[in-house]
Amino acid sequence: MKKSFLLFVSSILFCTIFCSCSNNVTTTDSLNTVTTAATSNTISTTVTEATLAEESVPPITTVINPLTGINNLDSTATNKRPIAIMVNNNKQSLPQYGIEAADIIFEAPVEGGITRLMAVYPDFNKVPNVCSIRSCRYYYPIIANGIDAIYIHWGSDKTIAVETLNRLDITHLDGGAVGAPMFGRDAERKKKYDLEHTGYLQGSVLAKGLTAGGYRTELKEGYNKPIFNFNAENAPQIPQGTTCTKAIFNFSNAYFSTFTYDEASKVYKKQHSGTPQIDSSTGNQLSFTNVIALKTDITMRDSRNGLLNIALNSGVGKYISNGMCEDIKWSKADENSPIVLAKADGTPLSINAGKSYIGIIGNDKLVSIQ
């Protein structure tokens, strides 16, 4: 009886060991691996989370960014419309946020001697939160229209700005009309700023909003090209002119933009009326590879409200980069055409790859080159 019992136990132990060897499954949490071995034909397969991630997420490919000439634009943004956002530049609204991410910033005067910015972004999927959004003046959407950009603002002057948007059928989103969740009032800023300086765009919902609204996001035929002629990214050129370690654009007695050259980084750092212009979301001072002045006629349109007329057809200007300044000419064939830059002799101008600042300033105002 005892012998039969021992044989029975031995049989159970043998089966247990045999089965364990036949189904050899080892899990190692620290390596996140699973290994399977077959008894007849030994096959070992190892699957890691990293391998799965590589298989499920396609590699990011980049193309030349048409706003900068640099190969850093996600290829999914190819042939997509850029985003042009009106940004408050009133001294009482500073600092702004989200504007350092823009690849081009236009600055031009509005009523009362102040200026307003238009920040341009190449990929509507990657626009950050931007504050503070401000109202439209008619010349900004005409500039945006020249590159087929989607124009974003918060309100408009009720005369020529609204007429221009409608006449040219410009795709635009008005924060006051669209509302949440794309637009809102920054709760923290409301504690210390006037309400007009608190409007923001929530960049993370912009793409969904464009889709839901049925807005065209593909560029029109003929617009899928660089905004300017760019030198090769790895071959910057020195403008043919005079040394420029500092440039001052005097928009009015109270508002002026200063650009100081940083030799180490090869960029010009911007000041707003004597104070470094900072993006509060990053803490960084705005900086640009290219600083461009476009001189033109700026006249009073309506003395009752101070609205201006700005001629957007042609003129002279300055191209500043790499520590040098060159005299240039500029032109805009019509309201649907981009701004074209040329050398003083009329031949095409190529600018260095990188971010650009473009100031539109009256013929009667001083651009100081030092």
Side-chain angles (χ1 to χ4, degrees):
M1 180 72 178
K2 185 180 292 185
K3 184 177 181 179
S4 300
F5 177 76
L6 289 173
L7 287 171
F8 175 73
V9 171
S10 298
S11 299
I12 292 175
L13 288 171
F14 175 80
C15 291
T16 302
I17 294 169
F18 179 79
C19 292
S20 175
C21 293
S22 299
N23 297 284
N24 179 22
V25 179
T26 303
T27 303
T28 307
D29 289 340
S30 61
L31 298 177
N32 294 307
T33 62
V34 178
T35 304
T36 303
T39 55
S40 56
N41 299 308
T42 305
I43 301 173
S44 179
T45 304
T46 303
V47 181
T48 67
E49 288 184 357
T51 303
L52 291 172
E54 289 174 2
E55 292 177 352
S56 60
V57 179
I60 296 174
T61 58
T62 58
V63 296
I64 298 296
N65 183 338
L67 302 184
T68 64
I70 296 176
N71 189 344
N72 65 354
L73 182 67
D74 191 317
S75 60
T76 59
T78 301
N79 202 42
K80 301 298 184 183
R81 302 177 72 184
I83 302 297
I85 303 177
M86 286 308 307
V87 179
N88 197 352
N89 203 42
N90 190 304
K91 291 177 184 178
Q92 284 69 46
S93 74
L94 302 177
Q96 305 102 330
Y97 59 75
I99 60 173
E100 186 190 11
D103 283 337
I104 300 176
I105 289 182
F106 290 87
E107 183 172 11
V110 293
E111 59 275 9
I114 67 174
T115 63
R116 196 156 290 173
L117 307 180
M118 185 172 74
V120 187
Y121 306 79
D123 185 351
F124 56 76
N125 286 296
K126 296 182 179 180
V127 174
N129 292 350
V130 181
C131 184
S132 63
I133 310 298
R134 209 62 177 94
S135 58
C136 170
R137 297 297 178 267
Y138 82 94
Y139 30 92
Y140 291 102
I142 291 176
I143 296 169
N145 194 45
I147 57 174
D148 197 27
I150 295 171
Y151 180 68
I152 294 178
H153 59 110
W154 193 309
S156 301
D157 85 72
K158 302 304 180 184
T159 57
I160 192 172
V162 172
E163 185 274 335
T164 300
L165 290 167
N166 294 335
R167 176 173 55 82
L168 295 178
D169 194 24
I170 292 173
T171 303
H172 67 105
L173 284 73
D174 184 334
V178 175
M182 190 181 299
F183 295 90
R185 296 285 182 185
D186 186 309
E188 286 302 310
R189 286 177 68 98
K190 284 173 67 176
K191 296 175 182 178
K192 53 184 178 180
Y193 290 87
D194 291 339
L195 190 66
E196 66 191 73
H197 305 317
T198 64
Y200 73 92
L201 167 76
Q202 186 173 193
S204 61
V205 301
L206 176 58
K208 286 184 178 179
L210 294 175
T211 300
Y215 295 100
R216 175 176 59 84
T217 57
E218 297 287 324
L219 284 165
K220 290 179 182 177
E221 185 177 354
Y223 287 87
N224 186 21
K225 57 186 179 181
I227 185 171
F228 299 120
N229 296 320
F230 288 105
N231 298 318
E233 183 177 350
N234 60 353
Q237 302 295 311
I238 298 176
Q240 302 302 301
T242 59
T243 300
C244 179
T245 57
K246 179 182 286 188
I248 304 173
F249 292 20
N250 293 281
F251 292 98
S252 68
N253 292 334
Y255 277 67
F256 57 96
S257 290
T258 303
F259 302 88
T260 303
Y261 187 55
D262 181 73
E263 177 66 37
S265 57
K266 306 296 184 185
V267 297
Y268 286 85
K269 295 187 175 182
K270 186 179 188 300
Q271 291 183 315
H272 182 315
S273 305
T275 302
Q277 189 151 15
I278 304 296
D279 184 316
S280 65
S281 64
T282 65
N284 295 331
Q285 186 174 359
L286 298 187
S287 61
F288 304 90
T289 299
N290 305 301
V291 175
I292 300 168
L294 305 182
K295 301 292 292 282
T296 191
D297 288 330
I298 299 179
T299 57
M300 184 67 67
R301 183 180 198 293
D302 190 335
S303 59
R304 294 170 299 177
N305 51 30
L307 294 175
L308 304 175
N309 278 329
I310 295 185
L312 289 175
N313 42 29
S314 63
V316 297
K318 304 283 186 183
Y319 166 52
I320 302 166
S321 187
N322 242 333
M324 297 290 287
C325 174
E326 180 175 350
D327 291 334
I328 63 171
K329 293 180 179 178
W330 69 274
S331 61
K332 192 178 189 306
D334 53 45
E335 293 175 321
N336 299 310
S337 299
I339 292 169
V340 176
L341 304 179
K343 291 178 173 291
D345 63 6
T347 58
L349 174 72
S350 292
I351 68 173
N352 289 325
K355 293 188 177 186
S356 297
Y357 165 93
I358 301 172
I360 300 174
I361 186 167
N363 283 325
D364 60 337
K365 303 301 181 183
L366 177 65
V367 175
S368 174
I369 305 299
Q370 302 174 13

